[in-house]
Amino acid sequence: MQQRMATANNIKQRLQATTNTVVGGQTIRNRLHNFGLRARRPVRGTTLTAIRRAWCTQHVRWQRQQWAQVLFTDESRFCLEPADGRIRVWRRRGERFAEGAVRERQRFGGGSVMVWGGITTRLRTPLYHVLGNLTGVRYQNEILQLLVVPALQAIGPRAILQDDNAPPHRSAAVNTFIQQARVNRMLWPANSPDLNPIEHMWDELCCREQQHHPPPANLGQLLQWLQ
């Protein structure tokens, strides 16, 4: 089936327009069921574009010593009260609104902090607190100069910087600084967070945050705990 996102009504209208045949939506659903097709929520993921495939093909044979030269970087936002579905409560049937089974809902997760970090196979940068909006100038002055360049120097002369294609990372000022500082930057396919191993670190940090007892009471404690 080519048009997997088409609804029964879409198929009904298309069939009527092309063959002038009127078929009910339930009839279409029944025929699809006969072929083993059921309506399910689609998996949310990143499509394999030609650029992503080319990047993977280029790096699939890299050895550990080559990956050890790469500084993987990214920003991530942590909420004071995470709402990613991992929190569970033990209750019986009919106890959905029982005392102790209801969790108070905080607007916007009770507030959040954004942090920047970088990792390699041998070291990690300090976890930097990003206050407000991260612009290209701030990315250059506060992160590249103070954190990235020293980390790349610690890695060695063949060090490679990986950062994504967020607008602050690709501003004209940042590109000029990258060239002047002679930073070797890895070409990165757009919309490819799944290729960055630092995403696993963010996920692990989020899991540990939820398991921390007592939980952080305010954003200051949250930031201190993350760092």
Side-chain angles (χ1 to χ4, degrees):
M1 184 177 178
Q2 295 180 351
Q3 301 294 332
R4 291 185 177 269
M5 297 293 180
T7 65
N9 287 332
N10 295 147
I11 299 175
K12 170 186 174 181
Q13 295 171 2
R14 192 174 306 166
L15 186 64
Q16 184 174 354
T18 56
T19 66
N20 200 25
T21 302
V22 179
V23 180
Q26 187 58 48
T27 301
I28 294 176
R29 283 188 284 269
N30 292 339
R31 291 300 300 271
L32 293 174
H33 293 169
N34 292 338
F35 286 98
L37 296 172
R38 293 290 188 276
R40 296 290 187 268
R41 291 183 178 180
V43 175
R44 299 183 67 88
T46 308
T47 57
L48 182 61
T49 62
I51 297 178
R52 282 168 54 85
R53 181 189 295 272
W55 188 94
C56 294
T57 302
Q58 178 184 357
H59 297 88
V60 68
R61 297 189 182 279
W62 271 31
Q63 301 298 317
R64 182 178 178 86
Q65 59 268 26
Q66 293 172 285
W67 288 114
Q69 307 299 316
V70 182
L71 176 66
F72 291 96
T73 68
D74 193 20
E75 296 89 23
S76 185
R77 185 175 298 278
F78 292 85
C79 293
L80 187 62
E81 185 173 326
D84 60 357
R86 286 194 177 101
I87 299 175
R88 296 291 187 268
V89 60
W90 294 104
R91 59 180 172 84
R92 300 180 181 88
R93 183 183 296 273
E95 293 184 338
R96 182 178 183 183
F97 299 103
E99 183 178 358
V102 178
R103 184 180 177 91
E104 183 178 358
R105 184 176 182 180
Q106 298 287 343
R107 294 194 63 187
F108 310 110
S112 63
V113 296
M114 176 177 284
V115 295
W116 173 96
I119 60 170
T120 72
T121 58
R122 296 183 291 108
L123 59 86
R124 64 175 182 266
T125 69
L127 198 63
Y128 181 73
H129 182 203
V130 180
L131 282 168
N133 294 328
L134 182 64
T135 63
V137 175
R138 291 189 60 196
Y139 181 64
Q140 172 190 334
N141 296 335
E142 301 174 16
I143 295 178
L144 291 180
Q145 289 183 349
L146 301 181
L147 300 173
V148 170
V149 171
L152 294 177
Q153 292 173 347
I155 296 173
R158 296 183 179 179
I160 303 173
L161 168 64
Q162 179 280 327
D163 57 358
D164 59 28
N165 300 298
H169 302 169
R170 292 298 186 268
S171 67
V174 168
N175 291 335
T176 300
F177 174 83
I178 291 290
Q179 295 176 358
Q180 293 176 348
R182 298 183 179 180
V183 172
N184 186 12
R185 191 185 225 174
M186 175 177 284
L187 295 178
W188 195 250
N191 301 319
S192 300
D194 56 323
L195 298 179
N196 192 345
I198 201 173
E199 296 294 340
H200 298 287
M201 189 197 73
W202 297 138
D203 187 66
E204 178 67 19
L205 198 56
C206 184
C207 290
R208 295 190 183 188
E209 175 198 349
Q210 295 184 22
Q211 297 169 2
H212 188 269
H213 296 288
N218 51 58
L219 295 181
Q221 291 184 7
L222 172 61
L223 176 63
Q224 183 180 11
W225 184 88
L226 291 172
Q227 292 174 331

